[in-house]
Amino acid sequence: MVEEVKVRKIKDGTVIDHITSGEALNVLKILGIPKDYPKTPVTVAMNVLSAKVDSKDIVKVEGRELKAEEVDKIALIAPRATINIIRGFKVVEKKKVSIPETIEGVLRCANPNCVTHFEEVRSRFVVEERSPIKLRCYFCEKVMRGEEIVRQF
Amino acid sequence: MDFGGRDMISIRDLTKEEIEHMLGTAEGMELSPPGDILRGKTLATLFFEPSTRTRISFEAAMQRLGGKTIGFSGAGTASVAKGESLTDTIRTVERYSDAIAIRHPRDGAARLSAEVSSKPVINAGDGANQHPTQTLLDLYTIKREKGRLDVEVALVGDLKYGRTVHSLAYALAMFGAHLTLTSPKGLEMPREVISDLQKFGPRVAKEDDLAEVASKVEVLYVTRIQKERFPDPEEYERVRGTYKITMETLRNARENLIILHPLPRVDEIAAEVDGTRYAKYFDQVYYGLPVRMAILGLLMGAV
Ligand SMILES: [Zn+2]
């Protein structure tokens, strides 16, 4: 395997690789960095040349393994991302993110007149297209795309 | 094809075959009325915002089939004024009824109601979103008048906010109609709505000259242009004259042109047009009856 980027290896944590170029900072936003985790050591590489895709971003987060909900959110903006869990400098788990058929509870509908803002009900979106992402609110049928989704993180 | 127990929330839920089946059932109801097939059944009409036409049409359809209606109209009514949640209202009303027709100012209210109701829910208009029984009656009118749905149609007027034209465009595209879009600047059909049609591979064109449009198409579907949609009142005054259907607009109209309008109209169609063979907007109202009879009969499992 060719080591594509010269950034230092981490001991324990998560490497998020193959992030859609330009989305690294949005991934940090999803992970609450630096807002909720001001002290977490993070390494960010952007617009890295890659063999598989034109270019990609990489985020390395030390001392943290991601929650399923965080992984689901990352999938929305970086559908080709891979999550590598690192323990003792070794990759112990490697998985691809995946976008489910429907997304419940994670997002708010961008339509201000949507019934979900007025009644006690979990939001629900049907995934119509994956890359780039296109969601349709199950209730009001309005479409949400990249920018409207990212703004919520 | 069994519709018993199903909801009628959005035209997007229906396949082409299902729409054809509903229109066929409506034609049966119109040409040979089936009698009291809904005797002993009750339809609840919950109109959280008033819409006299739609409510009366549902009530008339229910009565023609021997059924009864209960319900309310207007936002000031009991449960709404007390701040009861929509879902609680639905859970209460479903105990007294065999189906629920709901009109509500919020987008998605009908879908949410269907989620909590064990009885069929019919969307009679949810905010700016859908009004599927209107769409079906529009389709039925075209089918009855033209004998087919793959027609050449022009959608005229407010194509941005006009709820009925969005779902009608969707349904017509499904049936292979050729769509011409004619609207004032700023009230064009949203890109998202047009991109939604693309899966059916429709032919969509834009044309601004109304007389030119009238000379080409078989169906002119005219919608209301509302003053409050314009930031500048002068712009409204200018546009309003340009998009009005008059005898002058129709001077080169095709022999077989029909003009439809979801009504009520303001002044988009001059009264002088009413007496012509083109005017079908009042027949359209009449066609709403067999269409709603068919929907009620199908959803309550009586046909
Ligand atoms: Zn919504």
Side-chain angles (χ1 to χ4, degrees), chain A residues 109 111 114 116 137 139-141:
Chain A
C109 182
N111 171 12
C114 179
T116 56
C137 176
F139 295 98
C140 76
E141 307 191 355

Side-chain angles (χ1 to χ4, degrees), chain A residues 108-117 123-125 136-144, chain B residues 107-108:
Chain A
R108 275 175 60 83
C109 182
N111 171 12
N113 195 43
C114 179
V115 73
T116 56
H117 304 312
S123 72
R124 191 188 311 171
F125 296 89
R136 188 180 298 274
C137 176
Y138 172 74
F139 295 98
C140 76
E141 307 191 355
K142 291 288 174 307
V143 164
M144 281 215 298
Chain B
D107 306 341

Side-chain angles (χ1 to χ4, degrees), chain B residues 3-16:
Chain B
F3 281 92
R6 275 181 64 172
D7 304 303
M8 167 68 73
I9 306 301
S10 168
I11 206 76
R12 307 174 62 86
D13 300 337
L14 299 171
T15 64
K16 203 172 152 177

Side-chain angles (χ1 to χ4, degrees), chain A residues 17-29:
Chain A
D17 199 355
H18 299 288
I19 298 168
T20 310
S21 215
E23 297 292 342
L25 297 178
N26 286 323
V27 168
L28 291 184
K29 244 172 126 185

